[in-house]
Amino acid sequence: MSALRVEEIFDTERDYWDKEISKFESVHPLNAFGWGKVRAIDGWEPTYLMAKKGSLVTGAVIVLTKPIPFTGLFIMYAPRGPVFNPSDKETLKVLLKGMRVKAKEKHAIFLRIDPNITEEAILKNGDPFIEQGFIHLKHRWTFWNTPRDVYRIDLSKSATVDEVFKFIQSKTRNQVRRADKLGVIIRSAESLSELDSFYKIFREFTVAKGFMARSYAYQKSLWEEYIKRGNGKLFLAVYENDIVGGLICLIFGKKCLDMHMGTPYKYQHLRTNNAYVWEAIKCAKEEGCTWFSFRGVGSSPTQEKFKSKFGPEVVALAGYYDLVFYPLLYRLFYMAEFEILPRVWPVLMHIRKKLSDIINWQRSNN
């Protein structure tokens, strides 16, 4: 019988990666090959590791590595990984061995993972990550990792799109219909120039709401690595021939993930946000997806209330695990992440909004 081994997968084997990884029940859109390319925009270097027994793929992980400036040290992160059968501890061991090799090469302070495995499954079947030396963090959210608690719509419970629609709150269904009656058209983006228009709207929306926006290069990478390859959609809300809002979702392995959405306040009366969220959910069902997921339950009561209107369930994932290689340096990073940054973040967002207001005022007066 063939021994279990780890192979590094490269760009020329991208289609092979996506084909094999999409077969796993626990697969997530952030496990697609393209996600490593997207994160490279922010300075992360992706490595693709695949566990195999003969020709059978038993698991995989995308390992992102990022340098800490002026130190010669790195941090490592495996978004929504590793992907494997949670009962297959041998595959976890061999993947972890491959990750340790990469960590040693890069002088990584620690490795963080946040697998797409539910908290309930871990409590029921035991925690394979603790057994391998990981520290389980108590935190429900971090500034730079994917959310632990998410809103998901179980599309497998409904046989048709119409049945999915019935699970949405009646007021929200009426608002979706109202947007249509007011002349709002929801359609897929067809060109990069339309992504440009959406990004301007999205950035304005994030400034008003007080949360950070990714760069245009980041959204363009989503377009190139997912949408152009048939693994995602940008739904646009169009009113009187103007783009007034939109939503980017990623589709991979029969799962659909809402990434970015936004509508400027002056168009809120059109209820475009309800309309394009519904269009994304409908698309997911038509594509045969088993779930549609918002990235998190929401960082504010307003966000949580909006997302809850679409009939999702709260899914608590296993959360964040750290494998520590340099304990003292790790403690310093931990303190900066969970004690210092939360205190200064509101101040940074306030400064960002003030600067944006000044720039907009200057533009309007020139």
Side-chain angles (χ1 to χ4, degrees):
M1 182 177 290
S2 300
L4 194 61
R5 67 192 188 280
V6 167
E7 293 181 0
E8 186 169 350
I9 303 300
F10 299 95
D11 287 12
T12 55
E13 302 168 286
R14 174 180 185 143
D15 292 342
Y16 170 67
W17 172 280
D18 283 348
K19 178 183 175 182
E20 294 297 326
I21 302 311
S22 64
K23 296 176 183 178
F24 285 85
E25 178 62 29
S26 63
V27 71
H28 190 279
L30 303 188
N31 300 137
F33 197 94
W35 187 242
K37 298 296 185 182
V38 172
R39 294 315 311 270
I41 297 297
D42 293 332
W44 293 90
E45 179 185 350
T47 300
Y48 302 83
L49 300 178
M50 182 178 283
K52 300 177 71 174
K53 181 174 288 187
S55 61
L56 177 65
V57 176
T58 63
V61 64
I62 301 175
V63 183
L64 304 175
T65 308
K66 191 169 190 176
I68 300 176
F70 313 115
T71 66
L73 300 169
F74 292 75
I75 57 175
M76 297 178 70
Y77 174 42
R80 289 297 184 242
V83 181
F84 70 112
N85 183 334
S87 64
D88 184 1
K89 295 182 180 181
E90 292 305 310
T91 288
L92 176 59
K93 286 181 181 179
V94 76
L95 285 173
L96 182 54
K97 183 178 180 180
M99 288 187 276
R100 284 182 182 275
V101 169
K102 292 297 178 182
K104 187 174 182 179
E105 290 176 357
K106 293 292 187 179
H107 302 290
I109 296 174
F110 69 99
L111 162 68
R112 179 167 296 173
I113 63 173
D114 55 5
N116 187 37
I117 300 173
T118 65
E119 190 172 63
E120 181 182 10
I122 291 290
L123 292 173
K124 181 179 178 181
N125 302 314
D127 196 321
F129 307 108
I130 293 293
E131 293 176 10
Q132 294 301 317
F134 282 89
I135 298 169
H136 190 202
L137 305 186
K138 67 180 185 297
H139 306 278
R140 309 302 301 186
W141 184 85
T142 81
F143 282 93
W144 59 287
N145 306 126
T146 50
R148 178 174 179 177
D149 300 306
V150 300
Y151 267 143
R152 283 183 184 169
I153 300 171
D154 187 348
L155 299 174
S156 67
K157 290 183 176 180
S158 304
T160 65
V161 168
D162 290 339
E163 287 185 17
V164 177
F165 195 56
K166 290 178 182 178
F167 279 101
I168 296 175
Q169 292 180 8
S170 59
K171 183 178 179 181
T172 305
R173 294 200 302 267
N174 290 334
Q175 289 173 342
V176 170
R177 298 185 184 105
R178 182 170 180 267
D180 181 60
K181 290 178 181 179
L182 290 173
V184 176
I185 297 171
I186 307 297
R187 62 170 177 82
S188 297
E190 299 174 349
S191 67
L192 195 59
S193 63
E194 291 182 331
L195 174 70
D196 297 349
S197 298
F198 168 72
Y199 181 74
K200 293 173 184 176
I201 289 171
F202 176 72
R203 181 169 175 78
E204 176 186 338
F205 174 78
T206 62
V207 170
K209 293 294 183 179
F211 58 87
M212 186 59 71
R214 296 288 189 178
S215 66
Y216 172 73
Y218 180 94
Q219 284 203 350
K220 183 180 178 183
S221 185
L222 288 177
W223 177 272
E224 297 290 339
E225 301 297 338
Y226 279 88
I227 297 172
K228 280 184 66 174
R229 293 173 177 271
N231 289 331
K233 297 274 189 179
L234 166 55
F235 290 104
L236 299 172
V238 181
Y239 179 68
E240 295 182 347
N241 296 319
D242 290 329
I243 295 172
V244 297
L247 176 151
I248 293 177
C249 62
L250 309 182
I251 302 172
F252 180 76
K254 301 299 181 181
K255 313 294 194 302
C256 184
L257 177 66
D258 160 35
M259 285 294 290
H260 302 151
M261 69 170 107
T263 297
Y265 181 78
K266 61 183 177 181
Y267 294 114
Q268 290 295 318
H269 68 286
L270 298 173
R271 302 303 182 188
T272 60
N273 48 0
N274 295 302
Y276 53 62
V277 170
W278 165 242
E279 195 66 27
I281 295 170
K282 183 172 73 170
C283 173
K285 180 61 180 175
E286 292 172 344
E287 292 276 344
C289 293
T290 57
W291 54 248
F292 174 92
S293 180
F294 295 98
R295 290 209 74 187
V297 296
S299 58
S300 68
T302 301
Q303 288 183 28
E304 187 172 348
K305 182 179 179 180
F306 171 75
K307 295 174 181 180
S308 68
K309 298 188 301 183
F310 295 91
E313 301 171 337
V314 177
V315 176
L317 297 175
Y320 313 107
Y321 294 83
D322 287 347
L323 188 62
V324 179
F325 306 115
Y326 292 88
L328 178 59
L329 294 173
Y330 172 75
R331 285 196 290 272
L332 292 174
F333 188 95
Y334 183 96
M335 182 169 51
E337 179 180 8
F338 293 113
E339 296 178 20
I340 298 175
L341 187 56
R343 295 176 184 176
V344 302
W345 189 260
V347 177
L348 294 175
M349 292 299 98
H350 178 73
I351 293 172
R352 176 173 176 256
K353 188 174 188 309
K354 288 296 183 182
L355 290 174
S356 179
D357 290 343
I358 292 171
I359 292 171
N360 290 333
W361 180 84
Q362 290 176 337
R363 286 175 179 171
S364 63
N365 286 275
N366 284 337

PDB file of all heavy atoms in Angstrom, residues 182-198:
ATOM      1  N   LEU A 182     -39.563  49.766  -8.464  1.00  0.00           N
ATOM      2  CA  LEU A 182     -38.992  51.111  -8.571  1.00  0.00           C
ATOM      3  C   LEU A 182     -38.018  51.245  -9.744  1.00  0.00           C
ATOM      4  O   LEU A 182     -37.496  52.325  -9.991  1.00  0.00           O
ATOM      5  CB  LEU A 182     -38.264  51.469  -7.272  1.00  0.00           C
ATOM      6  CG  LEU A 182     -39.155  51.705  -6.040  1.00  0.00           C
ATOM      7  CD1 LEU A 182     -38.302  51.891  -4.794  1.00  0.00           C
ATOM      8  CD2 LEU A 182     -40.043  52.936  -6.250  1.00  0.00           C
ATOM      9  N   GLY A 183     -37.790  50.140 -10.436  1.00  0.00           N
ATOM     10  CA  GLY A 183     -36.928  50.189 -11.610  1.00  0.00           C
ATOM     11  C   GLY A 183     -35.494  49.787 -11.374  1.00  0.00           C
ATOM     12  O   GLY A 183     -34.630  50.006 -12.236  1.00  0.00           O
ATOM     13  N   VAL A 184     -35.201  49.183 -10.213  1.00  0.00           N
ATOM     14  CA  VAL A 184     -33.851  48.701  -9.931  1.00  0.00           C
ATOM     15  C   VAL A 184     -33.632  47.390 -10.687  1.00  0.00           C
ATOM     16  O   VAL A 184     -34.427  46.457 -10.581  1.00  0.00           O
ATOM     17  CB  VAL A 184     -33.626  48.480  -8.425  1.00  0.00           C
ATOM     18  CG1 VAL A 184     -32.244  47.887  -8.173  1.00  0.00           C
ATOM     19  CG2 VAL A 184     -33.795  49.789  -7.670  1.00  0.00           C
ATOM     20  N   ILE A 185     -32.557  47.330 -11.427  1.00  0.00           N
ATOM     21  CA  ILE A 185     -32.202  46.122 -12.179  1.00  0.00           C
ATOM     22  C   ILE A 185     -30.980  45.489 -11.515  1.00  0.00           C
ATOM     23  O   ILE A 185     -29.982  46.169 -11.263  1.00  0.00           O
ATOM     24  CB  ILE A 185     -31.886  46.456 -13.647  1.00  0.00           C
ATOM     25  CG1 ILE A 185     -33.126  47.035 -14.338  1.00  0.00           C
ATOM     26  CG2 ILE A 185     -31.389  45.222 -14.404  1.00  0.00           C
ATOM     27  CD1 ILE A 185     -32.843  47.599 -15.725  1.00  0.00           C
ATOM     28  N   ILE A 186     -31.066  44.200 -11.224  1.00  0.00           N
ATOM     29  CA  ILE A 186     -29.925  43.470 -10.672  1.00  0.00           C
ATOM     30  C   ILE A 186     -29.374  42.571 -11.771  1.00  0.00           C
ATOM     31  O   ILE A 186     -30.093  41.738 -12.326  1.00  0.00           O
ATOM     32  CB  ILE A 186     -30.329  42.606  -9.452  1.00  0.00           C
ATOM     33  CG1 ILE A 186     -31.065  43.441  -8.407  1.00  0.00           C
ATOM     34  CG2 ILE A 186     -29.086  41.942  -8.859  1.00  0.00           C
ATOM     35  CD1 ILE A 186     -30.247  44.552  -7.805  1.00  0.00           C
ATOM     36  N   ARG A 187     -28.102  42.762 -12.087  1.00  0.00           N
ATOM     37  CA  ARG A 187     -27.487  41.961 -13.146  1.00  0.00           C
ATOM     38  C   ARG A 187     -26.022  41.693 -12.823  1.00  0.00           C
ATOM     39  O   ARG A 187     -25.420  42.352 -11.976  1.00  0.00           O
ATOM     40  CB  ARG A 187     -27.592  42.668 -14.500  1.00  0.00           C
ATOM     41  CG  ARG A 187     -26.865  44.000 -14.572  1.00  0.00           C
ATOM     42  CD  ARG A 187     -26.822  44.517 -16.003  1.00  0.00           C
ATOM     43  NE  ARG A 187     -26.185  45.832 -16.102  1.00  0.00           N
ATOM     44  CZ  ARG A 187     -24.878  46.033 -16.142  1.00  0.00           C
ATOM     45  NH1 ARG A 187     -24.039  45.001 -16.052  1.00  0.00           N
ATOM     46  NH2 ARG A 187     -24.386  47.255 -16.266  1.00  0.00           N
ATOM     47  N   SER A 188     -25.450  40.717 -13.513  1.00  0.00           N
ATOM     48  CA  SER A 188     -24.036  40.398 -13.332  1.00  0.00           C
ATOM     49  C   SER A 188     -23.161  41.417 -14.045  1.00  0.00           C
ATOM     50  O   SER A 188     -23.504  41.872 -15.150  1.00  0.00           O
ATOM     51  CB  SER A 188     -23.729  39.004 -13.883  1.00  0.00           C
ATOM     52  OG  SER A 188     -24.450  38.023 -13.176  1.00  0.00           O
ATOM     53  N   ALA A 189     -22.049  41.765 -13.442  1.00  0.00           N
ATOM     54  CA  ALA A 189     -21.089  42.668 -14.089  1.00  0.00           C
ATOM     55  C   ALA A 189     -20.481  41.981 -15.300  1.00  0.00           C
ATOM     56  O   ALA A 189     -20.254  40.769 -15.301  1.00  0.00           O
ATOM     57  CB  ALA A 189     -20.001  43.058 -13.107  1.00  0.00           C
ATOM     58  N   GLU A 190     -20.193  42.757 -16.309  1.00  0.00           N
ATOM     59  CA  GLU A 190     -19.698  42.204 -17.569  1.00  0.00           C
ATOM     60  C   GLU A 190     -18.295  42.670 -17.928  1.00  0.00           C
ATOM     61  O   GLU A 190     -17.689  42.142 -18.857  1.00  0.00           O
ATOM     62  CB  GLU A 190     -20.662  42.577 -18.699  1.00  0.00           C
ATOM     63  CG  GLU A 190     -22.071  42.020 -18.502  1.00  0.00           C
ATOM     64  CD  GLU A 190     -23.042  42.524 -19.544  1.00  0.00           C
ATOM     65  OE1 GLU A 190     -22.671  43.467 -20.291  1.00  0.00           O
ATOM     66  OE2 GLU A 190     -24.176  42.003 -19.616  1.00  0.00           O
ATOM     67  N   SER A 191     -17.779  43.650 -17.205  1.00  0.00           N
ATOM     68  CA  SER A 191     -16.468  44.196 -17.577  1.00  0.00           C
ATOM     69  C   SER A 191     -15.725  44.714 -16.360  1.00  0.00           C
ATOM     70  O   SER A 191     -16.323  44.975 -15.301  1.00  0.00           O
ATOM     71  CB  SER A 191     -16.634  45.336 -18.590  1.00  0.00           C
ATOM     72  OG  SER A 191     -17.287  46.441 -17.979  1.00  0.00           O
ATOM     73  N   LEU A 192     -14.439  44.891 -16.532  1.00  0.00           N
ATOM     74  CA  LEU A 192     -13.600  45.407 -15.456  1.00  0.00           C
ATOM     75  C   LEU A 192     -13.978  46.845 -15.104  1.00  0.00           C
ATOM     76  O   LEU A 192     -13.862  47.255 -13.946  1.00  0.00           O
ATOM     77  CB  LEU A 192     -12.126  45.332 -15.871  1.00  0.00           C
ATOM     78  CG  LEU A 192     -11.082  45.496 -14.765  1.00  0.00           C
ATOM     79  CD1 LEU A 192     -11.258  44.435 -13.679  1.00  0.00           C
ATOM     80  CD2 LEU A 192      -9.678  45.412 -15.357  1.00  0.00           C
ATOM     81  N   SER A 193     -14.451  47.597 -16.077  1.00  0.00           N
ATOM     82  CA  SER A 193     -14.848  48.979 -15.805  1.00  0.00           C
ATOM     83  C   SER A 193     -16.024  49.026 -14.835  1.00  0.00           C
ATOM     84  O   SER A 193     -16.155  49.961 -14.034  1.00  0.00           O
ATOM     85  CB  SER A 193     -15.211  49.702 -17.109  1.00  0.00           C
ATOM     86  OG  SER A 193     -16.335  49.099 -17.730  1.00  0.00           O
ATOM     87  N   GLU A 194     -16.878  48.003 -14.890  1.00  0.00           N
ATOM     88  CA  GLU A 194     -18.001  47.952 -13.953  1.00  0.00           C
ATOM     89  C   GLU A 194     -17.519  47.589 -12.550  1.00  0.00           C
ATOM     90  O   GLU A 194     -18.092  48.043 -11.555  1.00  0.00           O
ATOM     91  CB  GLU A 194     -19.047  46.956 -14.446  1.00  0.00           C
ATOM     92  CG  GLU A 194     -19.763  47.451 -15.698  1.00  0.00           C
ATOM     93  CD  GLU A 194     -20.845  46.518 -16.179  1.00  0.00           C
ATOM     94  OE1 GLU A 194     -20.734  45.292 -15.949  1.00  0.00           O
ATOM     95  OE2 GLU A 194     -21.815  47.015 -16.805  1.00  0.00           O
ATOM     96  N   LEU A 195     -16.478  46.783 -12.468  1.00  0.00           N
ATOM     97  CA  LEU A 195     -15.855  46.543 -11.165  1.00  0.00           C
ATOM     98  C   LEU A 195     -15.293  47.847 -10.616  1.00  0.00           C
ATOM     99  O   LEU A 195     -15.409  48.117  -9.409  1.00  0.00           O
ATOM    100  CB  LEU A 195     -14.733  45.507 -11.284  1.00  0.00           C
ATOM    101  CG  LEU A 195     -13.927  45.281 -10.000  1.00  0.00           C
ATOM    102  CD1 LEU A 195     -14.767  44.558  -8.946  1.00  0.00           C
ATOM    103  CD2 LEU A 195     -12.648  44.491 -10.272  1.00  0.00           C
ATOM    104  N   ASP A 196     -14.686  48.667 -11.476  1.00  0.00           N
ATOM    105  CA  ASP A 196     -14.163  49.972 -11.052  1.00  0.00           C
ATOM    106  C   ASP A 196     -15.266  50.811 -10.410  1.00  0.00           C
ATOM    107  O   ASP A 196     -15.076  51.410  -9.349  1.00  0.00           O
ATOM    108  CB  ASP A 196     -13.585  50.732 -12.247  1.00  0.00           C
ATOM    109  CG  ASP A 196     -12.405  50.024 -12.891  1.00  0.00           C
ATOM    110  OD1 ASP A 196     -11.904  49.050 -12.292  1.00  0.00           O
ATOM    111  OD2 ASP A 196     -11.988  50.423 -13.983  1.00  0.00           O
ATOM    112  N   SER A 197     -16.422  50.830 -11.065  1.00  0.00           N
ATOM    113  CA  SER A 197     -17.550  51.617 -10.555  1.00  0.00           C
ATOM    114  C   SER A 197     -18.029  51.082  -9.216  1.00  0.00           C
ATOM    115  O   SER A 197     -18.328  51.846  -8.295  1.00  0.00           O
ATOM    116  CB  SER A 197     -18.704  51.588 -11.571  1.00  0.00           C
ATOM    117  OG  SER A 197     -18.310  52.162 -12.799  1.00  0.00           O
ATOM    118  N   PHE A 198     -18.094  49.762  -9.115  1.00  0.00           N
ATOM    119  CA  PHE A 198     -18.522  49.157  -7.854  1.00  0.00           C
ATOM    120  C   PHE A 198     -17.537  49.474  -6.741  1.00  0.00           C
ATOM    121  O   PHE A 198     -17.944  49.766  -5.610  1.00  0.00           O
ATOM    122  CB  PHE A 198     -18.660  47.638  -7.998  1.00  0.00           C
ATOM    123  CG  PHE A 198     -18.817  46.941  -6.680  1.00  0.00           C
ATOM    124  CD1 PHE A 198     -20.000  47.047  -5.958  1.00  0.00           C
ATOM    125  CD2 PHE A 198     -17.767  46.210  -6.132  1.00  0.00           C
ATOM    126  CE1 PHE A 198     -20.142  46.420  -4.716  1.00  0.00           C
ATOM    127  CE2 PHE A 198     -17.897  45.584  -4.898  1.00  0.00           C
ATOM    128  CZ  PHE A 198     -19.084  45.688  -4.190  1.00  0.00           C
TER     129      PHE A 198
END
